[in-house]
Structures are given as structure tokens and as C-alpha cells.
Amino acid sequence: MALRQVLHYPDSRLRNKAKPVAVVDDDIRRLIDDLLETMYDAPGIGLAATQVNVHKRVLVVDVSAEHDQPHAFVNPVIEFTEGTQEREEGCLSVPGFYETVERAAHIRVNALDRDGKAFTMTAEGLLAVCIQHECDHLDGKLFVDYLSGLKRQRIKKKLQKRAPDSSRRPAVARAGRG
Ligand code: QAP
Ligand code: CO
């Protein structure tokens, strides 16, 4: 297992649309393990492959208090939603910013597990929000896209000030520059 570097908004690579996984092989299982390790290290409750610059439809979540209920989703499809809920969201790719977003209250999602086996999960509350947030990443969408243009611009400017060329230079070139 290894920690992977997380891209920060407004890095344009966060806008890539991830491709479906054809076969859940050892490479995908290694990606899942690295996503979980990177998420727990942050610490966070969800992470999508897009955020570590891997444009495959893979995400992980764990909203449990003990950080002992990891779920991996390969090729997730939210096939049913009901109701709405509002919750404050953050994102490892938008560090330090938290805003309230409206999402579906209940969802049902189909996906493959780490063994390539199809499963269906129903979720509500924070878990439902987290899965929706991570599925958005696979389509190049961020929680800041749900905010007003003014709020989004303010967040963008502050993050650009921290890392002025984050949207133009590869993440590796920034490593060690604080
Ligand atoms: C998505 O986000 C989420 O700003 C997962 O400095 C978050 O794990 C869904 C994090 C909240 C629903 C509610 C954010 C860590 C973690 C930061 C995360 C930070 C350090 C975000
Ligand atoms: Co996120």
C-alpha cells in the first residue's frame, strides 16, 4: 500500500471523466488499497480515483466513527434517488473549505466490489451524501460546482494563492515546495 498525492482544485485534471473499469484485477485492488490508505491518512471519509489522477471509475468511502467500515465501489451507478438533504461538505481536493450542499436523501447504487462481484447498496444520511460526492468526482464534478459563482471564485482564488500554478503544473513538480 502507498499514499498517493491528491490533486487540488482548480487543477484541470479534476475535470476528467473517468473510464469504466473493464476487469477488476490486482492493479485495481492496489488502487483501492491506496485510496483507502490515502483517505484514512488525511483523514477523510471518501476518495475517488480521479483525485489521485487515476481516471478510472473507482471510489472508496468510510463514514464510520471507528474507521473500520471501508466500502469500495468499482463502476458505481446511482440507479435510484429519493428526497433531499442538506449537509456541510468538504473535499480533500478543496482543503480547508466547507459549504452546505443539497443532495438526495436516499440512494440505491449498483457497483462491483474488489472481487469484481456485482452488488447493490442502499444508503441514506452521510453515507448517501458521501457516495454522491465521490460519484461526482468520476464525472469531473466538484462540490464547489453547486455553490454560487461568487463563493466558488473566492475558494478558487484562495487555493491558487496557496499554490499559484496548481492548475498548470504536474503535482510532482510541486512536491516539497510547501
Ligand atoms: C466527501 O471528503 C464528503 O478540507 C469526503 O483539510 C465530506 O473526506 C462528503 C478533508 C463531507 C460529505 C461530507 C477535507 C480533510 C476531508 C479538508 C473528505 C481537509 C482535510 C474531506
Ligand atoms: Co471530494
Side-chain angles (χ1 to χ4, degrees), residues 42-46 87-92 94-98 126 129-130 133-134:
I45 59 173
R87 207 173 275 272
E88 189 163 88
E89 296 186 20
C91 180
L92 277 170
V94 192
F97 295 89
Y98 304 86
L126 181 60
V129 170
C130 201
H133 174 120
E134 303 310 332

Side-chain angles (χ1 to χ4, degrees), residues 27-42:
D27 275 359
I28 296 296
R29 280 184 279 276
R30 193 169 308 122
L31 172 63
I32 288 170
D33 290 341
D34 289 356
L35 287 172
L36 285 168
E37 186 176 349
T38 305
M39 176 184 78
Y40 288 130
D41 180 72

